[in-house]
Amino acid sequence: MPPDGRVHYLHIGSAALEDVVSRRAILARYLSGPSVAGCVGLDLQDIFDRGRQGDDWARRVLDEVLHALGVALAPWLERFKATVVAVGGGMTGSWDLVRPPFCEGLRVGGVSKHLEVLRSADSERSSLVGAASSAGSAPT
């Protein structure tokens, strides 16, 4: 696993993961693109909405970022022999745009076919439940 099991220590190429796959990074990348000058007050959901409505630049940014995330996580998931990855958080509201490039990135990154990618049913509490479960099973 990444140091301390914390994926934000990972890199995508020479860039820190958070400099590529974060709200801040996605907004900056989108706003640097064609025909978006003067867009004030956009948030990440706006970019997902624009991508869904046919904005090619929004789709390209999201596809590239989510693909890169899959590629970055793939070797760690393979080494861990993960069989399931549950994705939670705000992005799950745009699962139709998240899943395809993320899964393709996992494939390109070397994940074998045994990995199932699921959207968390309760992304508000899922990480807390996982942490509590892990803490409860940890040796004392």
Side-chain angles (χ1 to χ4, degrees):
M1 292 305 298
D4 298 325
R6 301 174 80 169
V7 296
H8 69 273
Y9 288 140
L10 297 180
H11 281 78
I12 295 175
S14 62
L17 181 77
E18 290 190 5
D19 290 339
V20 178
V21 185
S22 66
R23 177 184 170 275
R24 169 187 51 83
I26 294 169
L27 283 169
R29 174 90 197 278
Y30 180 74
L31 291 172
S32 73
S35 304
V36 293
C39 292
V40 184
L42 284 182
D43 205 353
L44 196 53
Q45 187 58 50
D46 298 314
I47 297 171
F48 278 102
D49 291 344
R50 286 172 174 226
R52 195 176 283 112
Q53 295 164 1
D55 180 330
D56 291 335
W57 177 243
R59 281 302 286 265
R60 181 174 167 192
V61 168
L62 294 169
D63 286 351
E64 288 175 2
V65 165
L66 294 163
H67 185 272
L69 177 61
V71 171
L73 293 177
W76 299 98
L77 294 169
E78 273 298 297
R79 281 183 231 147
F80 186 68
K81 296 184 178 21
T83 57
V84 176
V85 171
V87 178
M91 334 192 253
T92 61
S94 298
W95 193 238
D96 58 318
L97 299 179
V98 170
R99 189 178 194 286
F102 178 65
C103 288
E104 178 62 13
L106 290 171
R107 187 192 66 72
V108 168
V111 168
S112 56
K113 296 181 183 193
H114 68 275
L115 184 68
E116 187 174 5
V117 178
L118 302 173
R119 177 172 63 175
S120 175
D122 184 0
S123 55
E124 293 289 321
R125 297 183 321 147
S126 60
S127 60
L128 294 174
V129 171
S133 174
S134 177
S137 64
T140 54

